Amino acid sequence: MTTLQLHPRTIVRAAGLVDVPAVVRLFAPPPASPRLTVSDPDSSAVDWEQAQRAMRLMLAHHALEEGQVWVAERADGALLSAAIWLPPDIGTGSPDPRISSLLARELDISLPERPVLSTALGAAGPDAPHWTLVTVCAPDDAEACDRTVVAELLTTGLGAVDGEDATAVAITLSAHHANQLRPLGFRGPREVPLVPGASVWLTTRHGRSGRADRG
């Protein structure tokens, strides 16, 4: 397992199956957080247990298999932040039939044909193939979003993106976190409403040739 030592208290490393529950808690905290639905815009309720189960399945059977997942953690094992990299054609679209079937079977629900999240992100993102980055920091933790931690968390994924001279689109849960990606070349944060009162932010980093064209 690749591990990067930042300083005595924080390391960045590739995630594995054992990290899935903790990563899910970063993205989908307990129900004390604002309620959010990404499946039915007419519904105001969320089954958080089901949402977390769905995310665990997606991480274990989609993100870890098809892309890269990196985490930053303290020496005591507490996660500070996580980054999920998905290559072109695997990012913001609807899950492939195998994943959809798994989710439907394990969650015992009928999945919508056009999920709100993937539909909104697909409409807001660039038309050209691009890498998708989904990243999150522990709330109310300054170290979690420290520039050094964020840069090391993303360095391996950015290396793969730059190796292809590709565009990357980052999805964050806050405008502040999107702005923290600016030193790494991401530009133009834009809010993408999902349902009333709930949004994510997209920010884009063009390949080297694209950045040169833009000056």
Side-chain angles (χ1 to χ4, degrees), residues 7 19 31 41 48 64 69 81 89 94 100-101 103 105 108 161 190 193-194 213-215:
H7 49 72
D19 300 300
W48 279 97
L64 283 172
V69 182
S81 50
D89 302 324
S94 299
S100 296
S101 176
L103 291 172
R105 181 175 69 252
D108 193 25
V161 170
R190 58 183 299 191
L194 301 180
D213 291 343
R214 289 167 172 76

Side-chain angles (χ1 to χ4, degrees), residues 111-174:
L111 297 177
E113 292 184 6
R114 296 178 61 83
V116 171
L117 178 59
S118 59
T119 300
L121 295 178
D127 293 332
H130 59 275
W131 282 73
T132 299
L133 164 66
V134 186
T135 183
V136 66
C137 292
D140 305 320
D141 192 322
E143 186 179 351
C145 290
D146 177 84
R147 281 190 176 187
T148 301
V149 174
V150 172
E152 291 296 342
L153 181 69
L154 303 186
T155 187
T156 302
L158 288 176
V161 170
D162 286 343
E164 299 178 5
D165 192 17
T167 294
V169 175
I171 303 167
T172 67
L173 303 183
S174 72

